[in-house]
């Protein structure tokens, strides 16, 4: 049998268990009724026998026997229903035999007590028997053998009685035939009920198995997807270390390049490295979103601090292609709102970057205005529209371009390359922020991408401190004493070589080594990696801050080292900048919470590094 058939085949025993459970339920409901009918039947028989002592005694014995058998069956049912596993055969036999004894009891009663002359009594007794027989369809048909035996024992004595009576009155012959027909009718109905029960329970069980298989498959697919995303995240992280070297070393080589050709070659390497870094960041974002690990970092920001740097970048890119870039702001925009400005920046940069990429002449306009429909007070819906006069998008592609890896498939689009991840990431970020993103386009005339985001209004500057913003600035005027702490030799070299030209640089390969160096030298600033063996950057920073405040750190440090550190650090504040490859908000928060003054993400961008040194160096 093929495996798929095998897997969905319902085991017969399992089916029987389910049908039996239904039968037990029905029987439990009908047994008390049958007991009451037995009492009625005894009263009817006693009535037409004029309560003669012999008959009465026989009837009392019969009633006692019947009620005891019903009680026994009821107790048996409780046992069968509550049995934790499949009941032992003996109980099932007992269940069958006790039902048959009950049926025989009814049969004997009717055989010996059926009144011939009192028709009202006769009708009542026959009705009771018919009721008992019909009632067994629902309660006993789930047990086919028991059911057939039960009906035979119930109705055969009656049939026999009618046949015997037929010698006196032919009408009884007719009654005997009627009872036989009734017997067949009930048997047939019972069989049909059994077949219907079996097929619906089989279907139910098959469905349950299919649902379980489906759930397993979904779980397996999710696990595989998680693994893939984790792999992508790890891989992207690993790629950042060599990227750090490429970008850093190229920067150094560019500064020393002597010929225009050398300069051109190195500039190309630098640009390619930057665009590779953009792709890696996209993959990292995408894998984080897929793994459900991307968290938003809402904070108060002004619309202008979001849009001014964006507009500067886009103006330069547009000018390089001979295009006009316009930032069009509605007059009634709020000054300050709360949201994840870095992610909004990312989406807008992607939309406007695409607009410039896919436009060869004309203009690109970024308009920001309050959306028409404003929902809750205290919140504001902003509509960002990026309009271009470029190649446009075919109507059937307007939705699918937001799917992962999807690109418009005309050759003009392909000529521009790209990963097809930008819009998918933008769309996912938008949904995370509870917003909407969609596109309208006329092929050949241009496209407009609309983004609606609901942000919280902040009338006053928030008390939450914003993470330090690093503005590009000029080189620092004095020579600094710097300590670069990183367990990776390449990263250490890159940072050291970038800084050595203007500053005095020492290196350490973990937190403990850094503490050693700090105890021996006076530094203006420490660039501290986060994840390192022996002692990580967060621990080292916490220790430094505790010693500065005169506290005795919980972590054990050698006594001489502690003394040296206390002498050098007590009462002061050593500037510590985190250098982290993990660009997550959580990591950044951890760095600031540990007492670091700012953070830079790897690969180190020379401009940002210089800006950071400038911002965080105390004047002499
Ligand atoms: P990529 O640009 O890296 O290919 P995106 O996800 O950013 O990936 O864009 C997906 C596709 O959507 C693009 O390849 C392009 O076909 C289409 N597209 C996006 N923006 C525009 C636009 N402004 N004009 C024309 N086509 C666009």
């Amino acid at each position: 049998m093929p495996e798929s058939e095998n897997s969905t085949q319902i085991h017969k025993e399992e089916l029987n268990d389910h049908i039996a459970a239904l039968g037990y339920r029905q029987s439990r409901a009908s047994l008390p009724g049958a007991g009451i009918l037995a009492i009625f039947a005894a009263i009817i028989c006693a009535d037409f026998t004029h309560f003669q002592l012999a008959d009465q005694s026989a009837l009392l014995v019969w009633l006692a026997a019947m009620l005891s058998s019903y009680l026994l069956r009821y107790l048996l049912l409780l046992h069968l229903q509550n049995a934790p596993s499949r009941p032992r055969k003996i109980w099932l036999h007992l269940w069958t035999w006790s039902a048959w004894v009950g049926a025989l009891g009814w049969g004997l009663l009717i055989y010996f007590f059926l009144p011939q002359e009192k028709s009202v009594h006769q009708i009542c007794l026959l009705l009771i028997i018919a009721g008992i027989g019909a009632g067994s369809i629902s309660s006993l048909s789930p047990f086919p053998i028991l059911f057939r035996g039960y009906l035979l024992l119930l109705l055969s004595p009656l049939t026999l009685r009618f046949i015997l009576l037929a010698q006196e009155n032919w009408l009884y012959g007719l009654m005997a035939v009627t009872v036989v027909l009734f017997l067949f009718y009930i048997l047939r109905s019972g069989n049909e009920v059994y077949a219907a029960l079996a097929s619906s329970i089989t279907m139910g069980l098959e469905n349950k198995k299919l649902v379980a298989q489906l759930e397993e498959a979904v779980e397996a697919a999710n696990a595989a997807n998680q693994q893939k995303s984790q792999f992508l995240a790890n891989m992207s992280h690993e790629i950042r270390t060599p990227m750090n070297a490429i970008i850093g070393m190229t920067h150094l080589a560019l500064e020393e390049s002597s010929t225009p050709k050398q300069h051109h070659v190195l500039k190309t390497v630098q640009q390619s490295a930057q665009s590779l870094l953009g792709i890696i960041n996209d993959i990292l974002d995408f894998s984080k979103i897929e793994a459900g690990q991307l968290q938003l970092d809402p904070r108060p920001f002004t619309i202008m601090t979001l849009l001014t740097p964006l507009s500067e970048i886009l103006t330069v890119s547009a000018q390089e292609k001979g295009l006009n870039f316009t930032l069009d702001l509605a007059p009634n925009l709020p000054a300050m709102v709360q949201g994840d400005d870095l992610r909004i920046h990312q989406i807008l940069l992607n939309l406007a970057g695409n607009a410039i990429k896919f436009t060869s002449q004309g203009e690109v306009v970024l308009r920001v205005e309050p959306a028409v429909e404003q929902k809750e007070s205290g919140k504001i819906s902003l509509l960002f529209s990026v309009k271009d006069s470029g190649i446009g998008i075919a109507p059937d592609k307007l939705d699918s371009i937001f799917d992962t890896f999807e690109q418009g498939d005309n050759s003009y689009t392909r000529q521009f390359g790209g990963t097809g991840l930008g819009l998918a990431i933008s769309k996912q970020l938008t949904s995370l922020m509870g917003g909407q993103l969609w596109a309208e386009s006329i092929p050949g005339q241009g496209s407009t991408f609309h983004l609606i985001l609901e942000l919280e209004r902040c009338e006053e500057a928030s008390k939450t401190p914003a993470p330090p913003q690093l503005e590009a600035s000029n080189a620092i005027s004095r020579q600094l004493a710097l300590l670069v702490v990183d367990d990776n030799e390449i990263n250490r070299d890159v940072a050291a070589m970038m800084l050595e030209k203007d500053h005095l640089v020492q290196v350490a390969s973990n937190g403990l080594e850094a503490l050693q160096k700090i105890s021996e030298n006076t530094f203006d600033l420490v660039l501290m990696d986060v994840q390192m063996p022996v002692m990580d950057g967060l621990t080292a920073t916490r220790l430094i801050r505790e010693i500065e405040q005169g506290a005795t750190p919980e972590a054990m440090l050698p006594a001489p080292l502690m003394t040296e550190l206390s002498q050098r650090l007590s009462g002061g504040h050593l500037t510590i900048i985190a250098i982290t490859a993990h660009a997550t908000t959580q990591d950044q928060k951890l760095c600031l919470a540990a007492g670091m003054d700012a953070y830079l993400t790897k690969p180190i961008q020379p401009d940002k590094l210089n800006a950071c040194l400038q911002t965080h160096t105390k004047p002499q």
Side-chain angles (χ1 to χ4, degrees):
M1 189 181 292
E3 205 179 310
S4 63
E5 264 181 50
N6 216 1
S7 63
T8 51
Q9 188 196 16
I10 304 302
H11 203 274
K12 200 151 184 357
E13 282 191 348
E14 201 183 347
L15 172 65
N16 285 340
D17 287 348
H18 277 81
I19 296 182
L22 267 176
Y24 297 146
R25 240 195 349 256
Q26 286 294 333
S27 296
R28 213 172 135 176
S30 63
L31 274 179
I36 292 170
L37 286 181
I39 296 171
F40 288 175
I43 294 170
I44 293 166
C45 292
D47 184 53
F48 75 74
T49 53
H50 305 295
F51 299 96
Q52 285 173 17
L53 197 63
D55 293 326
Q56 261 195 57
S57 312
L59 279 171
L60 272 178
V61 171
W62 177 85
L63 186 60
M66 289 301 279
L67 291 180
S68 313
S69 94
Y70 283 137
L71 186 67
L72 173 76
R73 281 171 68 192
Y74 197 83
L75 294 175
L76 252 172
L77 269 181
L78 292 182
H79 172 76
L80 290 168
Q81 276 191 308
N82 298 328
S85 55
R86 192 164 290 142
R88 293 196 14 222
K89 278 247 157 38
I90 172 89
W91 298 113
L92 296 174
H93 287 317
L94 210 58
W95 164 246
T96 306
W97 280 98
S98 63
W100 285 348
V101 167
L104 191 64
W106 282 108
L108 292 178
L109 178 83
I110 210 84
Y111 186 85
F112 289 112
F113 282 86
L114 185 75
Q116 290 167 43
E117 68 281 7
K118 301 235 173 171
S119 57
V120 179
H121 293 91
Q122 204 178 52
I123 290 169
C124 285
L125 275 184
L126 288 177
L127 273 177
I128 289 176
I129 292 293
I132 295 276
S136 68
I137 296 179
S138 65
S139 56
L140 298 182
S141 64
F143 316 95
I145 296 174
L146 185 160
F147 179 61
R148 284 173 214 144
Y150 184 89
L151 284 177
L152 281 176
L153 289 167
L154 181 77
L155 297 176
S156 304
L158 181 62
T159 319
L160 191 64
R161 181 92 170 105
F162 281 146
I163 291 170
L164 292 176
L165 289 171
Q167 290 158 8
E168 297 166 24
N169 186 342
W170 62 272
L171 273 173
Y172 282 110
L174 219 61
M175 293 289 276
V177 176
T178 311
V179 174
V180 173
L181 286 176
F182 178 67
L183 173 71
F184 281 112
Y185 169 76
I186 301 259
L187 278 174
R188 219 183 117 237
S189 304
N191 286 345
E192 273 170 18
V193 168
Y194 180 84
L197 277 181
S199 93
S200 77
I201 289 175
T202 307
M203 256 159 64
L205 289 175
E206 272 174 4
N207 278 349
K208 225 162 103 184
K209 287 200 173 160
L210 283 176
V211 168
Q213 282 170 358
L214 220 70
E215 276 171 0
E216 254 173 50
V218 169
E219 248 171 55
N222 281 345
N225 203 24
Q226 280 265 354
Q227 256 178 345
K228 183 202 73 185
S229 302
Q230 195 54 50
F231 167 75
L232 279 177
N234 290 346
M235 198 183 68
S236 306
H237 178 244
E238 288 308 306
I239 294 172
R240 276 167 182 258
T241 301
M243 285 301 293
N244 192 26
I246 296 171
I247 292 178
M249 295 292 186
T250 314
H251 174 79
L252 294 172
L254 256 173
E255 282 180 344
E256 285 170 17
S257 60
S258 45
T259 66
K261 191 169 171 203
Q262 264 179 358
H263 189 85
H264 174 72
V265 169
L266 289 168
K267 202 78 201 154
T268 312
V269 174
Q270 195 182 44
Q271 278 163 0
S272 308
Q274 289 293 0
S275 71
L276 184 55
L277 191 61
I279 295 170
I280 292 167
N281 283 338
D282 272 359
I283 296 175
L284 193 60
D285 274 350
F286 176 69
S287 54
K288 271 195 254 164
I289 292 173
E290 285 266 287
Q293 285 170 357
L294 195 130
Q295 284 177 349
L296 295 173
D297 185 14
R299 57 179 183 169
F301 65 91
T302 62
I303 301 272
M304 286 322 289
T305 48
L306 167 73
L307 296 176
T308 311
L310 188 71
S311 145
E312 278 166 11
I313 302 171
L314 294 169
T315 307
V316 174
S317 318
Q319 273 167 0
E320 278 170 8
K321 282 191 78 177
L323 304 171
N324 269 335
F325 174 78
T326 314
L327 178 63
D328 179 9
L329 299 178
N332 50 346
L333 288 174
M336 187 169 251
V337 285
Q338 170 143 321
D340 189 335
D341 57 335
L342 295 181
R343 293 299 178 184
I344 302 174
H345 182 278
Q346 182 179 354
I347 300 173
L348 292 176
L349 188 64
N350 179 251
L351 298 182
N354 274 348
I356 293 171
K357 183 158 96 173
F358 295 110
T359 304
S360 51
Q361 56 182 12
E363 60 167 2
V364 171
V365 181
L366 167 58
R367 179 166 168 78
V368 189
E369 61 196 305
V372 182
E373 192 190 324
Q374 294 297 329
K375 291 179 195 155
E376 292 172 45
S377 61
K379 297 204 167 187
I380 175 143
S381 281
L382 291 182
L383 169 63
F384 302 83
S385 320
V386 179
K387 187 172 187 304
D388 66 55
S389 55
I391 58 169
I393 302 159
D396 62 327
K397 287 275 166 194
L398 273 178
D399 286 331
S400 64
I401 49 167
F402 293 100
D403 295 341
T404 315
F405 313 121
E406 193 65 43
Q407 297 182 308
D409 60 356
N410 63 51
S411 56
Y412 190 73
T413 304
R414 265 186 261 123
Q415 159 194 341
F416 292 96
T419 55
L421 275 179
L423 284 180
I425 293 172
S426 300
K427 183 91 181 180
Q428 308 241 40
L429 288 175
T430 306
S431 336
L432 270 178
M433 293 191 237
Q436 297 164 54
L437 174 63
W438 74 100
E440 287 170 358
S441 182
I442 303 175
Q445 290 186 28
S447 319
T448 308
F449 282 76
H450 302 279
L451 168 71
I452 289 189
L453 291 177
E454 198 179 29
L455 302 167
E456 272 177 50
R457 285 174 188 272
C458 307
E459 293 310 338
E460 294 166 41
S462 162
K463 293 183 182 81
T464 321
Q469 297 283 319
L470 304 175
E471 304 289 338
S473 64
N474 303 324
I476 303 115
S477 48
R478 70 183 172 94
Q479 195 181 45
L480 303 172
L482 304 174
L483 176 63
V484 174
V485 192
D486 200 313
D487 61 319
N488 183 294
E489 198 183 340
I490 297 178
N491 286 343
R492 265 197 322 266
D493 283 355
V494 171
M497 284 169 80
M498 271 184 194
L499 297 164
E500 258 164 8
K501 205 157 52 81
D502 302 313
H503 308 289
L504 287 172
V505 182
Q506 291 201 41
V507 293
S509 60
N510 61 56
L512 190 63
E513 211 180 303
L515 290 179
Q516 201 74 49
K517 294 254 155 128
I518 292 167
S519 73
E520 292 158 5
N521 307 276
T522 302
F523 291 106
D524 291 299
L525 191 144
V526 179
L527 292 168
M528 182 84 85
D529 187 18
V530 174
Q531 272 185 0
M532 287 179 292
V534 186
M535 185 188 284
D536 64 48
L538 297 177
T539 311
T541 306
R542 270 188 227 112
L543 286 173
I544 292 170
R545 294 295 175 239
E546 283 171 31
I547 296 169
E548 282 172 351
Q549 284 154 22
T552 315
E554 275 175 30
M556 288 297 289
L557 288 176
L561 177 61
M562 249 321 277
T563 321
E564 295 274 341
L565 281 171
S566 300
Q567 279 171 5
R568 206 168 279 277
L569 296 174
S570 206
H573 181 90
L574 177 61
T575 308
I576 304 175
I577 311 283
I579 307 244
T580 167
H582 298 275
T584 66
T585 328
Q586 185 57 24
D587 287 310
Q588 291 163 357
K589 279 186 183 148
L590 281 177
C591 292
L592 297 180
M596 295 185 174
D597 297 276
Y599 51 79
L600 286 170
T601 46
K602 287 180 194 169
I604 302 171
Q605 306 281 346
D607 285 353
K608 288 198 172 159
L609 178 59
N610 275 331
C612 189
L613 291 184
Q614 173 82 357
T615 315
H616 291 280
T617 312
K618 286 170 230 133
Q620 247 182 351

